[in-house]
Amino acid sequence: MPRTATVDTLPVDVAEEVLAENPGSETELGDVDEVLAADGETFAVAVVRVDDPRWEPVDDELESYEVTENVVRVEGSEVDLDLELTPGDQITLVASVPVGAAPEDVVLESLADGVRQELSLIDGTRTASVVEDIYARPTEVEVGDGASWSHDYDTRYGAMTQTGQLTGGVLTPFVPEVGWANPGHVYLGVDVTTQEPPSPHYDESTIRLRLADGSTVEPETNTGGSDGPFTRRVWFQLPVDATEAVVEVSIVIGLGGDMYDVAVSEVPLTLAGSVAGEEESGGGSAS
């Protein structure tokens, strides 16, 4: 959250910096040391740092991602400021506000990919968010037993062995190719590799997620490619309060018109950690 303060006077150098960032201002400060707030008003001062949220996967192009729009609102009215903010920027925002203004009366509103959030310039708290549950989501994926598998099977070409492994997982509220998770949900991404069967066999394996209540979740995106059924990271959408899940990999090998249901490998996952704790320890940022 931003560092904030309310003051009755501003050093002239801070006031000049604010005026320089406001192309519509024609106020001349003259030869003064400080600027006084108007009667019945005070200055809300906030230092805002814009961090790169680095949603997974961090190297993907954000094809659907719109430029983040930022405005300052005082009691619902937009303040005429030039706010072109990009990751890495740190700026000082100053607004003249009524004395005793509530936190929700003076806000920095950000809109990213259709999602709106507000930070108070009075006390730095988040006063509104349509994705509030992302701040209560888990942050770590712990992979349990069975992450590697090896299964023998017979075909008309003789005995074969199929191997594979689940190498890890990530949690994120936003995936570039599909956008934000639904309200109350988060994306779980898992990385799976499998051995390519010898020609003329081909791998027709599938994957799904089983939740603690027995319900199943199918992948959000196409996972296959020329290198096999799990060429890409597999993304699932699951409730933000889920603490465990099981990845089910149904291993199916094709040969001509024959399909061999080899086995179902199950890999338990534990979802742990809390982004809320990280947010409290980090402080000073908006993303």
Side-chain angles (χ1 to χ4, degrees):
M1 62 179 63
R3 297 191 300 274
T4 62
T6 53
V7 296
D8 294 328
T9 62
L10 284 178
V12 68
D13 57 341
V14 173
E16 288 175 340
E17 181 180 349
V18 172
L19 292 174
E21 293 177 353
N22 183 354
S25 174
E26 299 179 356
T27 302
E28 295 291 339
L29 296 180
D31 187 17
V32 297
D33 295 324
E34 59 184 15
V35 177
L36 299 176
D39 289 344
E41 296 194 345
T42 187
F43 293 119
V45 183
V47 178
V48 179
R49 186 182 72 243
V50 182
D51 290 338
D52 184 351
R54 300 188 66 78
W55 308 128
E56 295 286 350
V58 296
D59 295 328
D60 274 17
E61 292 291 333
L62 304 182
E63 295 179 357
S64 67
Y65 197 77
E66 303 171 359
V67 175
T68 300
E69 300 175 7
N70 300 279
V71 298
V72 171
R73 296 188 185 278
V74 177
E75 296 185 324
S77 299
E78 182 176 339
V79 177
D80 185 14
L81 293 176
D82 184 14
L83 292 180
E84 294 184 3
L85 304 179
T86 59
D89 287 348
Q90 178 170 300
I91 62 171
T92 300
L93 297 176
V94 179
S96 182
V97 303
V99 172
E104 62 271 17
D105 290 338
V106 186
V107 299
L108 170 65
E109 178 187 81
S110 292
L111 180 70
D113 201 58
V115 168
R116 184 180 65 84
Q117 302 193 78
E118 293 180 357
L119 289 176
S120 172
L121 301 185
I122 297 294
D123 63 4
T125 58
R126 188 170 54 254
T127 56
S129 172
V130 298
V131 287
E132 185 63 32
D133 45 53
I134 72 173
Y135 299 101
R137 63 182 172 87
T139 57
E140 302 170 9
V141 180
E142 299 174 2
V143 180
D145 296 336
S148 297
W149 56 84
S150 178
H151 299 289
D152 299 327
Y153 62 101
D154 292 320
T155 74
R156 64 174 181 265
Y157 282 82
M160 302 287 178
T161 301
Q162 183 69 4
T163 63
Q165 60 181 331
L166 191 156
T167 57
V170 297
L171 290 157
T172 179
F174 181 86
V175 176
E177 61 181 307
V178 292
W180 291 92
N182 292 330
H185 289 72
V186 68
Y187 288 115
L188 165 67
V190 295
D191 298 316
V192 178
T193 61
T194 55
Q195 171 196 18
E196 183 178 355
S199 182
H201 300 76
Y202 51 92
D203 193 343
E204 290 288 329
S205 299
T206 60
I207 189 171
R208 67 178 185 177
L209 194 70
R210 189 177 76 244
L211 303 181
D213 62 3
S215 61
T216 57
V217 181
E218 299 298 325
E220 287 284 319
T221 57
N222 180 28
T223 65
S226 59
D227 295 331
F230 308 118
T231 301
R232 304 175 182 87
R233 175 171 283 170
V234 184
W235 290 106
F236 299 99
Q237 193 168 174
L238 73 166
V240 72
D241 59 355
T243 57
E244 59 184 39
V246 176
V247 176
E248 297 181 349
V249 181
S250 298
I251 303 166
V252 179
I253 302 298
L255 175 58
D258 299 329
M259 302 297 288
Y260 300 96
D261 293 323
V262 178
V264 177
S265 288
E266 298 187 348
V267 183
L269 304 177
T270 300
L271 313 180
S274 171
V275 75
E278 294 181 0
E279 185 186 41
E280 291 172 2
S281 64
S285 65
S287 58

